[in-house]
């Protein structure tokens, strides 16, 4: 296997394709080129491979039927399909419940739907990123077309009680969708014993390639396709199947199932060591999110009084890849909506760095990062007007008060 | 990852003049904490001759904010205050070998810190009317506030109007949905219904030359002459230096030189020339050609 250069701690953004998965998918670019819908042998073999992959995904999700698995092009397509389907199928219901910390795949769509006249309720979170289920309970009624709540947050790893929330929605006759792209493969999921109606997953978050996703659709849930056309995916998602990537995703879900205990022991231990090492060596930094209840692979640390993009550039220079919730990394003016929703002050929100692990990281890498981070933070703080000789200036917001703020 | 120039990276990794200058007699604080940029510029000015003896910066911000601050301090040292005030944000960006459109505001912040620090030294009050919105047009780096203000002040009602007045949307056209949204909002304030059924044109029409070189240059000269009175009213001026292909070299003089709006003025002249000649025209300060020629000679 080819050695990847540098230390890759940005696995919530995307993951390396597992070499075993690449091997598995390669024949579907060459000799196995048939259209799975065709009547001849060329097509039939590919059709069987797609069927096997569907079963593999079904197993990881604990779905009751393999026909509940619909292959899509990405997590975003699955999210859009789920929400727009619920609105189309129940035109009399004009409200959606979601949360303030969803991924843009949900939030941007909801903002668009708001302009179209739908009412969007965004559940708030507390300082640790936790939801208030009483607020949720009060909003559930017959006006709501669908609830869409992420299983785990991409920035902090915070896990939401979606199984319980799905039961609450079900009790009020409201459809429930969860964007589980960060959760699948990291925590156990058993859809047949839940009331979750729809679930989105994305291949490239679990070592499959980019461009393949899944929408889980519980049997019997009313559905309207986003793409109409051929009879692929039983008419629920038209378009010739991305066979090679479907095969890859099948293999990826199988491997993810096998590695789940590893994620929750070894990977978690690396994450915990990183946090503990950095927090011990760097003053004025803290972990964001619900540390008691989050994904085993995600650490989000806020470094006060410095800016995230600058940290990332210096980390990158040392071959360390991570990501940030700062405004500058996205080209927008606001820092991460997740950090703002948790009430993290601007002076810390701009300095949040997410380190996200995979099964390919090692403890040796963790120790290197623990060594690299403190001098980087110190260097940038030396440049910061909010930082004095040995710590933040007294009352930073007052000591440095720009003309416009 | 941003496409930063090597100079930006160099100034970020090895910032010059970091930290506050001792015995500073001019301090300028600018920035907006919410968008993650804040800059304090400290100057030590010789009271005898107004020469900037030393400059230092403290910046809370991204890579390009730190690089812009570092560049600024290098650029102002040894200059008199009046010379320093001629530095435009475009000059800072050029010094750094260019900045991505999303990051141009870093150079604007540098220039503003300089104005604030000099005002502080002179005992004047520096008031900034700067408000920045989310970037809408990436081709021409135009933000939402700029578009909205222009739409409101000039009672614009179509995307084509916005293209004509601000250039926003005149490039790749992928921001037209965002421009239509701004128009819809402002039109609603005026109690009007939007109509976006008319097709739009690119800023850069492609028409073959119908004039001889001499006619064309005379035409350019005439257009620039017609713009001069406007600039003179603001105590500025412009002079045509040369025309080379589709590049028109000009000298900005008087209050226009180093004016914060210099690039905007140049853009306006460029817009007028393009509209009139029906071809793509680039208006460039003549000094940039001199710099480029110099660099070429040195390079060879």
């Amino acid at each position: 296997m080819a050695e990847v250069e540098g230390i890759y701690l940005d696995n919530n953004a995307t993951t390396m394709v597992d070499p075993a998965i690449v091997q598995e998918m390669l024949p579907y670019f060459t000799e196995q080129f048939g259209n799975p819908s065709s009547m001849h042998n060329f097509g039939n073999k590919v059709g069987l491979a797609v069927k096997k992959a569907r079963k593999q995904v079904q197993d990881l999700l604990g779905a009751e039927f393999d026909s509940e698995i619909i292959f899509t092009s990405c997590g975003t397509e699955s999210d859009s399909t789920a929400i727009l389907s619920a609105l189309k199928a129940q035109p009399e219901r004009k409200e959606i419940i979601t949360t303030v910390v969803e991924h843009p795949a949900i939030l941007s769509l909801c903002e668009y739907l708001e302009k179209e006249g739908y009412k969007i309720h965004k559940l708030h979170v507390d300082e640790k990123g936790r939801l208030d289920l009483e607020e949720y309970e009060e909003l559930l009624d017959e006006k709501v077309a669908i609830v869409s709540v992420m299983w785990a947050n991409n920035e902090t790893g915070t896990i939401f009680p979606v199984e319980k929330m799905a039961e609450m929605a079900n009790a009020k006759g409201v459809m429930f969708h969860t964007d589980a792209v960060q959760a699948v493969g990291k925590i156990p999921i058993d859809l047949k014993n839940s009331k979750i109606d729809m679930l989105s997953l994305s291949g490239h978050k679990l070592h499959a390639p980019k461009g393949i996703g899944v929408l889980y659709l519980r049997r019997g849930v009313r559905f309207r396709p986003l793409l109409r056309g051929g009879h692929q995916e039983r008419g629920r998602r038209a378009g010739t199947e991305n066979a090679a990537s479907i095969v890859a995703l099948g293999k990826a879900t199988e491997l993810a199932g096998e590695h789940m205990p590893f994620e929750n022991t070894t990977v978690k231990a690396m994450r915990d060591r990183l946090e503990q090492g950095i927090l011990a060596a760097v003053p004025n930094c803290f972990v964001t999110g619900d540390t008691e209840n989050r994904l085993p692979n995600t650490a989000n640390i806020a470094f006060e009084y410095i800016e995230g993009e600058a940290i990332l550039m210096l980390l990158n220079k040392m071959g360390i890849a991570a990501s940030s919730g700062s405004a500058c990394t996205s080209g927008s003016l606001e820092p991460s909506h997740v950090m703002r929703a948790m009430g993290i002050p601007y002076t810390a929100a701009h300095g949040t760095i997410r380190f996200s692990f995979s099964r390919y990281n090692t403890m040796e890498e963790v120790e290197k990062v623990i060594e690299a981070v403190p001098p980087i933070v110190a260097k940038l703080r030396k440049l910061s007007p909010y930082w004095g000789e040995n710590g933040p200036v007294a009352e930073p917001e007052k000591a440095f008060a720009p003309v416009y703020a | 990852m941003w496409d930063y120039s090597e100079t930006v990276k160099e100034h970020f990794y090895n910032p010059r003049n970091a930290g506050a200058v001792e015995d500073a007699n001019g301090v300028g604080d600018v920035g907006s904490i919410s968008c993650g940029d804040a800059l304090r510029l400290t100057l030590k000015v010789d009271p005898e001759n107004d020469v900037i003896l030393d400059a230092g910066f403290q910046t809370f911000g991204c890579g390009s904010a730190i690089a812009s601050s570092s560049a600024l301090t290098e650029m102002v040292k040894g200059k008199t205050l009046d010379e320093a005030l001629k530095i435009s944000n475009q000059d800072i960006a050029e010094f750094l070998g260019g900045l991505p459109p999303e990051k141009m505001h870093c150079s604007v912040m540098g220039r503003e810190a300089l104005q604030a620090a000099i005002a502080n030294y002179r005992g004047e009050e520096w008031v900034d009317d700067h408000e920045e919105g989310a970037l809408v047009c990436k081709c021409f780096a135009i933000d939402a506030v700029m578009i909205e203000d222009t739409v409101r002040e000039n009672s614009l009602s179509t995307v084509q109007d916005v293209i004509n007045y601000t250039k926003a949307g005149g490039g790749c056209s992928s921001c037209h949905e965002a421009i239509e949204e701004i128009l819809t909002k402002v039109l609603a304030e005026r109690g009007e219904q939007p109509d976006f059924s008319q097709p739009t044109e690119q800023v850069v029409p492609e028409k073959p030359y119908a004039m001889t070189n001499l006619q064309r240059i005379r035409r350019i000269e005439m257009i620039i002459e017609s713009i001069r009175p406007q600039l003179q009213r603001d105590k500025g001026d412009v002079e045509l230096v040369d025309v080379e292909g589709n590049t028109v070299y000009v000298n900005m003089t008087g209050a226009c030189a180093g004016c914060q709006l210099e690039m905007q003025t140049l853009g306006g002249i460029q817009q007028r020339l393009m509209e009139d000649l029906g071809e793509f025209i680039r208006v460039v300060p003549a000094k940039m050609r001199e710099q480029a020629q110099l660099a070429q000679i040195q390079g060879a």
Side-chain angles (χ1 to χ4, degrees):
Chain A
M1 160 191 159
E3 274 299 307
V4 179
E5 245 176 78
I7 299 174
Y8 187 75
L9 289 177
D10 200 10
N11 288 281
N12 285 12
T14 196
T15 57
M16 183 180 99
V17 182
D18 188 309
I21 294 171
V22 175
Q23 283 308 315
E24 193 92 0
M25 71 189 291
L26 281 179
Y28 297 89
F29 289 109
T30 52
E31 69 261 30
Q32 300 292 344
F33 62 85
N35 187 327
S37 305
S38 300
M39 281 307 296
H40 42 65
N41 257 348
F42 292 92
N44 194 36
K45 279 189 189 162
V46 180
L48 288 173
V50 168
K51 190 175 155 79
K52 180 182 165 198
R54 202 182 303 280
K55 176 79 174 63
Q56 286 165 318
V57 176
Q58 179 199 352
D59 288 347
L60 183 69
L61 297 181
E64 194 170 359
F65 307 101
D66 69 350
S67 59
E68 293 174 328
I69 306 301
I70 302 172
F71 289 111
T72 66
S73 68
C74 58
T76 299
E77 185 195 323
S78 303
D79 287 343
S80 270
T81 305
I83 290 181
L84 295 172
S85 163
L87 297 178
K88 279 276 178 210
Q90 313 164 92
E92 69 289 354
R93 295 180 178 231
K94 302 278 189 203
E95 296 183 14
I96 296 171
I97 300 176
T98 184
T99 78
V100 288
V101 295
E102 292 301 303
H103 189 272
I106 297 291
L107 282 185
S108 295
L109 175 65
C110 284
E111 278 159 25
Y112 170 74
L113 290 168
E114 200 162 30
K115 287 179 204 151
E116 299 277 292
Y118 291 93
K119 185 164 181 149
I120 313 295
H121 303 281
K122 292 184 202 161
L123 301 174
H124 299 94
V125 295
D126 66 9
E127 75 288 350
K128 291 194 157 199
R130 295 171 299 199
L131 294 171
D132 175 2
L133 292 191
E134 279 176 29
E135 182 193 9
Y136 172 55
E137 175 81 59
E138 279 171 27
L139 290 169
L140 282 172
D141 61 28
E142 71 290 344
K143 296 195 289 293
V144 178
I146 190 166
V147 178
S148 180
V149 172
M150 65 200 329
W151 201 312
N153 187 271
N154 49 311
E155 293 190 28
T156 62
T158 300
I159 295 171
F160 284 149
V162 286
E163 283 153 319
K164 176 161 191 210
M165 294 175 82
E167 279 167 20
M168 290 164 72
N170 186 264
K172 294 277 182 77
V174 178
M175 271 188 208
F176 191 93
H177 164 256
T178 180
D179 176 347
V181 300
Q182 297 293 347
V184 172
K186 292 175 196 141
I187 52 176
I189 292 177
D190 186 23
L191 291 174
K192 63 184 169 299
N193 290 312
S194 82
K195 297 289 184 197
I196 293 168
D197 295 306
M198 290 186 262
L199 173 146
S200 303
L201 80 82
S202 174
H204 74 102
K205 307 285 192 196
L206 52 147
H207 305 288
K210 293 146 192 74
I212 185 74
V214 160
L215 176 66
Y216 160 84
L217 175 68
R218 174 179 297 282
R219 181 174 286 189
V221 170
R222 297 178 65 209
F223 184 74
R224 300 290 179 270
L226 182 67
L227 297 184
R228 288 175 192 271
H231 56 88
Q232 294 88 353
E233 303 301 293
R234 297 172 189 248
R236 296 167 303 178
R237 201 283 188 180
T240 302
E241 297 87 342
N242 181 358
S245 292
I246 289 172
V247 167
L249 179 57
K251 182 72 181 171
T253 49
E254 185 191 310
L255 290 175
E258 285 170 15
H259 286 92
M260 205 179 299
F262 186 82
E263 283 280 339
N264 286 281
T265 52
T266 312
V267 173
K268 182 171 183 292
M270 289 191 272
R271 189 273 314 270
D272 291 344
R273 167 67 190 135
L274 180 81
E275 278 183 357
Q276 175 262 329
I278 289 177
L279 262 59
V282 177
N284 293 83
C285 69
F286 57 90
V287 175
T288 72
D290 185 1
T291 48
E292 303 295 307
N293 187 25
R294 58 179 170 152
L295 295 176
N297 80 318
T298 309
N300 192 305
I301 303 177
F303 297 96
E304 292 184 279
Y305 312 113
I306 50 175
E307 201 276 335
E309 188 207 284
I311 304 173
L312 290 185
M313 283 179 73
L314 291 174
L315 282 172
N316 186 50
K317 203 173 171 225
M318 302 188 72
I320 300 166
S323 73
S324 166
S326 98
C328 276
T329 49
S330 62
S332 76
L333 296 173
E334 275 284 312
S336 146
H337 66 287
V338 177
M339 296 303 146
R340 294 302 300 146
M342 293 192 293
I344 309 277
Y346 280 116
T347 42
H350 281 290
T352 52
I353 299 292
R354 178 187 69 188
F355 301 96
S356 47
F357 290 78
S358 79
R359 56 182 186 254
Y360 292 108
N361 292 115
T362 64
M363 205 49 121
E364 198 191 342
E365 292 178 328
V366 172
E367 296 302 331
K368 280 188 190 158
V369 177
I370 291 173
E371 248 174 67
V373 168
I376 288 176
V377 173
K379 176 179 175 163
L380 291 172
R381 280 186 177 158
K382 221 171 153 218
L383 299 178
S384 172
Y386 298 109
W387 197 260
E389 280 295 309
N390 299 305
V393 294
E395 296 189 76
E397 304 270 3
K398 274 191 205 158
F400 182 78
V403 179
Y404 53 90
Chain B
M1 193 77 178
W2 300 108
D3 189 12
Y4 283 138
S5 73
E6 287 308 313
T7 319
V8 171
K9 284 188 219 164
E10 219 285 307
H11 273 266
F12 169 64
Y13 293 135
N14 303 301
R16 328 288 200 267
N17 314 306
V21 169
E22 268 183 55
D23 312 319
N25 49 10
V27 180
D29 286 357
V30 294
S32 57
I33 310 306
S34 57
C35 31
D37 292 313
L39 161 58
R40 169 176 291 165
L41 178 70
T42 46
L43 299 177
K44 188 173 178 187
V45 184
D46 186 341
E48 296 290 313
N49 53 13
D50 271 4
V51 169
I52 298 172
L53 301 171
D54 202 0
F57 78 89
Q58 290 161 284
T59 295
F60 167 87
C62 56
S64 54
I66 289 170
S68 296
S69 310
S70 166
L72 173 71
T73 54
E74 284 288 277
M75 291 167 82
V76 300
K77 277 204 291 186
K79 283 199 165 66
T80 66
L81 296 181
D82 286 337
E83 284 166 355
L85 278 174
K86 285 186 187 154
I87 296 172
S88 68
N89 78 294
Q90 198 68 34
D91 292 334
I92 299 172
E94 268 165 35
F95 183 93
L96 288 169
L99 286 171
E102 289 89 344
K103 299 290 192 169
M104 279 306 285
H105 68 98
C106 293
S107 63
V108 173
M109 191 174 72
R111 191 190 140 77
E112 287 170 350
L114 178 63
Q115 290 174 324
I118 293 176
N120 172 263
Y121 168 78
R122 288 176 169 165
E124 297 162 359
E125 198 174 326
W126 182 74
V127 188
D128 186 79
D129 54 359
H130 173 111
E131 197 193 342
E132 202 183 350
L135 190 68
V136 172
C137 170
K138 291 199 179 181
C139 296
F140 299 112
I142 316 282
D143 69 62
V145 171
M146 161 91 156
I147 296 172
E148 191 173 326
D149 289 350
T150 312
V151 167
R152 196 169 283 126
E153 281 159 23
N154 300 287
S155 300
L156 308 184
S157 55
T158 66
V159 176
Q160 189 63 50
D161 290 342
V162 173
I163 295 175
N164 294 344
Y165 276 73
T166 67
K167 275 172 85 175
C172 73
S173 83
S174 46
C175 62
H176 284 194
E177 182 182 357
I179 294 176
E180 285 185 13
E181 267 175 37
I182 294 172
L183 281 164
T184 305
K185 181 182 142 195
V186 181
L187 284 170
E189 291 168 8
R190 300 208 297 259
E192 289 174 35
Q193 284 293 321
D195 173 16
F196 299 129
S197 55
Q198 292 302 311
T200 57
E201 280 172 30
Q202 278 181 297
V203 165
V204 193
E206 284 165 35
K207 267 192 223 162
Y209 302 168
M211 286 176 276
T212 67
N213 276 337
L214 192 63
Q215 284 171 327
R216 185 162 161 267
I217 290 172
R218 280 192 184 135
R219 181 91 200 156
I220 292 170
E221 197 171 27
M222 203 191 78
I223 298 163
I224 287 182
E225 280 302 314
S226 74
I227 295 168
R228 287 182 63 203
Q230 266 170 277
L231 299 179
Q232 284 161 349
R233 267 201 299 279
D234 294 330
K235 308 234 179 320
D237 210 344
V238 61
E239 133 189 71
L240 176 65
V241 176
D242 201 356
V243 181
E244 222 180 59
N246 56 18
T247 308
V248 172
Y249 293 98
V250 296
N251 262 339
M252 302 292 281
T253 53
C256 285
C259 161
Q260 197 179 356
L261 298 172
E262 182 178 332
M263 287 323 283
Q264 224 170 305
T265 310
L266 287 175
I269 298 172
Q270 178 169 308
Q271 180 70 24
R272 277 283 303 276
L273 287 170
M274 284 199 285
E275 278 169 14
D276 197 283
L277 297 168
E279 59 172 301
F280 176 73
I281 295 284
R282 215 159 58 103
V283 177
V284 177
K287 64 172 191 257
M288 271 177 65
R289 180 165 65 161
E290 287 158 26
Q291 284 164 2
Q293 284 168 342
L294 210 62
Q296 217 164 22
I297 294 164
Q298 283 163 344

